[in-house]
Amino acid sequence: PRSTLFPYTTLFRSDESVVACDLCDALEALGYVVLATVSTGEEAIAIAAELRPTAILMDIRLAGAIDGIQAAAQIRSQNDIPIVFLSAHSNDDTVKRAAGTEPSGYLIKPFKSAELRCALEVAIHNHQSRRRQAEDHAHRLAAIENRVAARARELETFSFSVAHDLRAPLRGINGFSEILRQDYGAADRKSTRL
């Protein structure tokens, strides 16, 4: 049976139109809806912001002023979308540059349909899992902040009560001190006169 993760929408970028057509067919056969194919990094950034796909397949070599790695970096800084790189290149420099964008996957061309499905399914699943964890963390943090605020209010109420309870006896002590000072002050004045 098919995974319940499908169908998902993808935004595909490629520098080779024949490969792009074949890949679109493979994605659609896997149950994906291909929202767009673009040939430049600039288009990729604009379309990703506009369409907000579930996942992006990003070819590293694109036409235009920026390559797929630079486009992915900009997309990741603006949108929370998993990106899987496609490349015929696996040299150290390319892989290191790509890894710097924190992609969800990296496929080496040529690849099989099963590899593509696995890469996308894992990328989407991990992305959704991280998003749920972040939401759970935010909820737990908000609950802790609410408990801390409630305890702070309780402490403030307790402090006010203690201050009030201490003030009354201190006023009494202060009153008695004043009486004693007056009485002993008067007695001291009498004894110095004698």
Side-chain angles (χ1 to χ4, degrees), residues 114-126:
E115 294 168 337
L116 176 62
R117 181 187 60 78
C118 289
L120 283 172
E121 191 167 336
V122 168
I124 292 167
H125 173 79
N126 288 343

Side-chain angles (χ1 to χ4, degrees), residues 29-48:
L30 292 171
Y32 288 92
V33 175
V34 178
L35 295 179
T37 60
V38 298
S39 59
T40 69
E42 295 83 0
E43 288 176 310
I45 294 165
I47 296 292

Side-chain angles (χ1 to χ4, degrees), residues 74 83 108 112 122 152:
Q74 286 189 27
I83 297 173
I108 304 295
K112 297 177 182 163
V122 168

